[in-house]
């Protein structure tokens, strides 16, 4: 069963509180460094306006400390300004979330109008899921829409207690959340086969639950990134100076056992004399990294093998860079995997903070089926977790 969406709501003349995830990356001066999360919400926002509704938008931004001066860069003003540019309509920015400014702006709101509330995490009640705060926020609007996929794994007030304040027929998910859920469903439930997962990134410990859950569903799980060396060490190989989680060797051994021949480890490596730009590099074949060298990327034979497996696949899910891609000299593995996904005619999905960043950086984001806007939410979904924020949205029909 699918969740009720904005399509199912009666919107004419209604004020719609949309929980968006406008927690955008910011430059040092606080400006919007990447507006993908804002652009991703536009289909939902435009649909509501086109159907005679008005918008009250609420989001968090950054990690406010409670100190007004220090938190100034986390005010929503620049996000509101960028949204106004992208949507081509004025956006009224309220200087509080549920206080007199917000109340006045929402009272004055006409069909087609847009109010952006102040950073929801400036309010202590948000993290605590406080019912008083939830009532005040819900009281500004007639309906509630969750289009904040990147926050769906959180139980904060604006995600759970606020929608609970509305009658069920006035709660829905937006098109972004709908799209994210659809692709996850096609990955996890009955994927087209062969189905391949590519896992990399910094730590095995972040991804144990994901690897376990995916092993039960995929045909192959290709490993790269720094987590490789914890697996190799668990198998008794030498890993030189490579990153390793020494306290996770037993976990890695257990995953190897569980996986049988589904788990594929790199057969060669790009190693460096130092883990930074400008270091001496060489290719090492086989599972052992020489003393004094750092494993920084998968090697050319591994790239060729992984690309061949991805080419055969009907479904590919990828999380975690294959190497320290931020340094050009260590980026070839990650770039090659991104290109292989881009060229695949199958369903291809990428998720995770740095993974999404890599695909964007290589200019390939539009050529995969889906780049998730959720880091933590995407990973927890791949672990098979269910979210309270979605449980409060009724099923369709
Ligand atoms: P995601 O955010 O996509 O889930 P992670 O947070 O798990 O990914 O890991 C991303 C980080 O892992 C990247 O910043 C990358 O530099 C780092 N990384 C990947 N491989 C290596 C490696 N071999 N050595 C050092 N760092 C690595
Ligand atoms: Mg990350």
């Amino acid at each position: 069963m699918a969740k009720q969406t904005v399509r199912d709501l009666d919107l004419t003349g209604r004020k719609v509180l949309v929980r968006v995830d406008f927690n955008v990356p910011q430059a040092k001066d606080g400006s919007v460094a990447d507006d993908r999360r804002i652009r991703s919400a536009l289909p939902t926002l435009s649909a509501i306006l086109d159907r005679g509704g008005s918008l009250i938008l609420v989001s968090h931004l950054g990690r406010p400390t409670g100190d007004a001066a220090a938190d100034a860069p986390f005010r929503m003003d620049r996000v509101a300004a960028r949204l106004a540019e992208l949507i081509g309509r004025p956006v009224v920015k309220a200087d509080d979330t549920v206080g007199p400014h917000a109340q006045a702006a929402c009272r004055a709101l006409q069909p087609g109008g847009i109010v952006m509330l102040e950073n929801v995490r400036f309010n202590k009640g948000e993290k605590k899921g406080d019912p008083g705060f939830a009532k005040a926020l819900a009281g500004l609007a007639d309906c509630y829409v969750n289009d904040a996929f990147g926050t769906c794994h959180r139980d904060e007030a604006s995600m759970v207690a606020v929608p609970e304040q509305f009658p069920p027929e006035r709660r829905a998910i937006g098109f972004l959340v709908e799209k994210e859920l659809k692709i996850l469903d096609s990955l996890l439930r009955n994927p087209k086969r062969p189905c391949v997962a590519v896992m990399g990134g910094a730590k095995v410990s972040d991804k144990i639950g994901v690897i376990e859950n995916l092993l039960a569903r995929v045909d192959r799980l290709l490993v790269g990134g720094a987590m490789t060396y914890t697996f190799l060490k668990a198998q008794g190989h030498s890993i030189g100076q490579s990153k390793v989680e020494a306290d996770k060797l037993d976990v890695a051994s257990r995953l190897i056992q569980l996986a049988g021949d589904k788990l594929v480890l790199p057969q060669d490596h790009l190693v460096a004399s130092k883990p930074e730009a400008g270091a001496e590099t060489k290719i090492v074949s086989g599972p052992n990294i020489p003393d004094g060298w750092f494993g920084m990327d998968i090697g050319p034979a591994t790239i060729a093998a992984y690309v061949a497996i991805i080419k055969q696949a009907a479904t590919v899910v990828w999380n975690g860079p294959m190497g320290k891609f931020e340094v050009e000299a260590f980026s070839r593995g990650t770039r090659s995997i991104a290109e292989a996904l881009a060229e695949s005619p199958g369903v291809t999905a990428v998720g995770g903070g740095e993974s999404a960043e890599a695909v964007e950086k290589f200019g390939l984001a539009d050529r995969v089926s889906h780049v998730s806007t959720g880091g933590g939410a995407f990973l927890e979904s791949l672990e098979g977790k269910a979210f309270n924020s979605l449980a409060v949205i009724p099923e369709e029909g």
Side-chain angles (χ1 to χ4, degrees):
M1 280 278 271
K3 292 282 168 190
Q4 198 158 278
T5 73
V6 272
R7 270 181 231 100
D8 303 308
L9 299 186
D10 178 5
L11 295 172
T12 317
R14 287 198 169 151
K15 298 179 183 178
V16 186
L17 180 67
V18 186
R19 184 22 167 129
V20 285
D21 185 342
F22 287 174
N23 182 30
V24 295
Q26 291 179 284
K28 278 217 174 71
D29 66 356
S31 60
V32 177
D34 175 356
D35 60 13
R36 195 167 66 95
R37 285 185 161 178
I38 306 178
R39 284 186 277 116
S40 302
L42 292 177
T44 298
L45 305 186
S46 300
I48 293 169
L49 297 175
D50 290 348
R51 288 185 32 215
S54 56
L55 294 170
I56 302 170
L57 306 180
V58 65
S59 178
H60 68 289
L61 175 63
R63 293 174 188 273
T65 59
D67 175 78
D71 290 348
F74 306 134
R75 292 190 165 275
M76 300 305 294
D77 297 69
R78 297 192 226 221
V79 171
R82 178 61 62 89
L83 172 65
E85 279 166 34
L86 292 170
I87 205 164
R89 294 182 192 231
V91 175
V92 175
K93 158 70 190 4
D95 285 335
D96 51 29
T97 316
V98 294
H101 297 285
Q103 289 171 23
C106 294
R107 218 178 296 122
L109 194 56
Q110 295 297 319
I114 308 173
V115 171
M116 174 92 239
L117 300 176
E118 188 52 275
N119 192 336
V120 69
R121 284 197 190 155
F122 285 2
N123 305 271
K124 286 210 180 73
E126 169 67 356
K127 283 238 162 181
K128 283 192 268 177
D130 178 62
F133 175 68
K135 265 209 172 80
L137 188 50
L140 299 172
D142 305 309
C143 315
Y144 174 91
V145 171
N146 172 354
D147 213 19
F149 181 72
T151 320
C152 278
H153 58 316
R154 308 257 181 229
D155 288 342
E156 295 165 4
S158 63
M159 299 303 297
V160 181
V162 169
E164 282 175 337
Q165 295 289 322
F166 292 85
E169 70 279 9
R170 292 181 182 226
R171 307 174 195 168
I173 55 170
F175 297 130
L176 173 61
V177 170
E178 181 187 41
K179 184 177 177 211
E180 297 264 9
L181 295 180
K182 265 196 186 145
I183 196 102
L184 281 162
D185 197 65
S186 70
L187 297 174
L188 293 172
R189 258 208 285 157
N190 221 353
K192 290 213 175 77
R193 297 191 182 272
C195 174
V196 173
V198 187
M199 295 290 302
K203 294 180 181 168
V204 180
S205 54
D206 290 341
K207 315 271 168 94
I208 298 165
V210 177
I211 295 174
E212 268 174 342
N213 194 37
L214 287 180
L215 278 174
R217 292 158 208 281
V218 302
D219 301 298
R220 283 295 176 81
L221 193 145
L222 313 178
V223 172
M227 70 160 71
T228 301
Y229 309 105
T230 302
F231 281 112
L232 291 179
K233 189 164 167 99
Q235 288 181 323
H237 301 298
S238 49
I239 56 159
Q241 300 292 106
S242 309
K243 269 198 176 176
V244 64
E245 288 177 278
D247 59 338
K248 291 293 177 297
L249 299 180
D250 52 336
V251 177
S253 298
R254 186 171 57 78
L255 289 173
I256 292 168
Q257 288 269 314
L258 183 75
D261 55 9
K262 278 188 185 177
L263 191 90
V264 187
L265 290 169
Q267 50 189 280
D268 63 349
H269 312 269
L270 180 114
V271 301
S273 57
K274 280 182 290 179
E276 53 203 50
E280 188 188 337
T281 62
K282 62 180 182 181
I283 301 299
V284 173
S285 294
N288 292 297
I289 309 291
D291 278 354
W293 290 81
F294 296 77
M296 298 312 299
D297 194 7
I298 55 176
T302 305
I303 292 176
Y306 285 8
V307 168
I309 293 171
I310 291 168
K311 269 199 179 144
Q312 301 288 317
T315 308
V316 188
V317 53
W318 177 26
N319 165 260
M322 296 290 97
K324 191 173 177 167
F325 74 96
E326 295 90 342
V327 174
E328 176 66 30
F330 312 142
S331 67
R332 193 175 149 211
T334 304
R335 184 187 287 273
S336 304
I337 295 300
E339 284 167 354
L341 260 74
E343 275 153 33
S344 161
V347 176
T348 50
V350 183
E354 273 87 14
S355 308
E357 189 189 308
V359 176
E360 288 275 342
K361 179 174 158 181
F362 301 142
L364 296 169
D366 296 336
R367 295 186 44 210
V368 296
S369 312
H370 185 60
V371 181
S372 179
T373 53
F378 182 76
L379 287 174
E380 288 193 22
S381 301
L382 291 185
E383 282 178 35
K385 285 193 185 154
F387 301 142
N388 294 328
S389 63
L390 297 174
V392 301
I393 309 293
E395 302 292 333
E396 209 166 35

